[in-house]
Amino acid sequence: MIIWLNGTFGAGKTTTAGELVKITPAARIFDSEHVGFMLRHIQGLPEVRNFQQWPPWRGLVVQTASHLLDYLGGVLVIPQTVLIEEYWAEIRLGLEKSGIPVHHFMLHTDQDTLTRRIETDAVETGARQWRLDHLADYRRALPWLSREAEVVDTTELPPARVARIVAARAGVKTTQAG
């Protein structure tokens, strides 16, 4: 099973993923962004604004997730923003063809909270402006994301509570820890 945490930067995907694996036995985080980092070193790929524009990224995410689940079993938690509907459809279809159940969640919060979270993030300070610049892309994606994913409003909730909500909606058993 895959629990895909979508939403814009600052919605709480990475933190929620960490909380989710603490309470879900046999759950692991698969940071599909690392597939994009790997591809950036391949000569000959066209210049793109976002590595998700490379078709190999989408295919490799599906193949890697499938291989990881075959090898390890359990639950993969993927905290990855995907704001292009066609890219999500390609990934979802690939996972479905591989027989992998996918629970797609969109973590959402209001604009002021997003901006505050991004501006006060002490870990990824170099990405601050890039994240702020992509809030408009997120707003444009909201209609299809709201159709394709279960929305979880993270505005007033601590990440541990968001993780419990996601786990319950995905139907995974959790421990009492967290």
Side-chain angles (χ1 to χ4, degrees):
M1 166 192 306
I2 289 176
I3 296 176
W4 194 292
L5 301 177
N6 205 340
T8 195
F9 313 98
K13 296 178 307 297
T14 301
T15 307
T16 298
E19 293 294 327
L20 197 52
V21 298
K22 286 181 193 174
I23 63 168
T24 307
R28 296 161 182 85
I29 294 174
F30 166 40
D31 188 346
S32 60
E33 201 160 295
H34 289 283
V35 174
F37 297 151
M38 176 192 72
L39 289 173
R40 285 192 174 138
H41 299 284
I42 306 297
Q43 292 181 353
L45 286 173
E47 290 282 326
V48 292
R49 180 175 165 234
N50 183 328
F51 57 74
Q52 292 182 13
Q53 292 174 273
W54 290 319
W57 178 81
R58 301 185 298 275
L60 285 169
V61 166
V62 169
Q63 289 178 5
T64 304
S66 178
H67 287 293
L68 286 170
L69 285 171
D70 285 347
Y71 186 66
L72 299 169
V75 177
L76 280 186
V77 179
I78 304 177
Q80 178 69 56
T81 300
V82 178
L83 299 179
I84 305 296
E85 185 173 11
E86 294 80 24
Y87 298 172
W88 172 251
E90 185 179 333
I91 291 166
R92 180 181 41 77
L93 228 85
L95 294 169
E96 285 175 5
K97 284 181 182 176
S98 295
I100 301 169
V102 178
H103 296 275
H104 183 202
F105 294 93
M106 178 184 61
L107 304 188
H108 178 75
T109 191
D110 62 73
Q111 181 76 24
D112 291 340
T113 302
L114 282 173
T115 302
R116 180 179 44 75
R117 288 178 184 174
I118 292 168
E119 289 179 344
T120 60
D121 184 349
V123 177
E124 298 268 356
T125 57
R128 185 172 290 146
Q129 192 57 52
W130 191 88
R131 290 173 172 185
L132 290 168
D133 291 345
H134 283 78
L135 291 178
D137 295 337
Y138 173 66
R139 284 191 299 277
R140 281 190 295 277
L142 275 173
W144 78 261
L145 278 170
S146 298
R147 281 191 319 271
E148 286 286 322
E150 289 189 57
V151 179
V152 178
D153 190 330
T154 67
T155 305
E156 299 295 328
L157 298 175
R161 178 71 184 121
V162 175
R164 290 224 171 262
I165 291 168
V166 167
R169 290 187 187 175
V172 297
K173 292 187 180 200
T174 60
T175 64
Q176 294 304 315

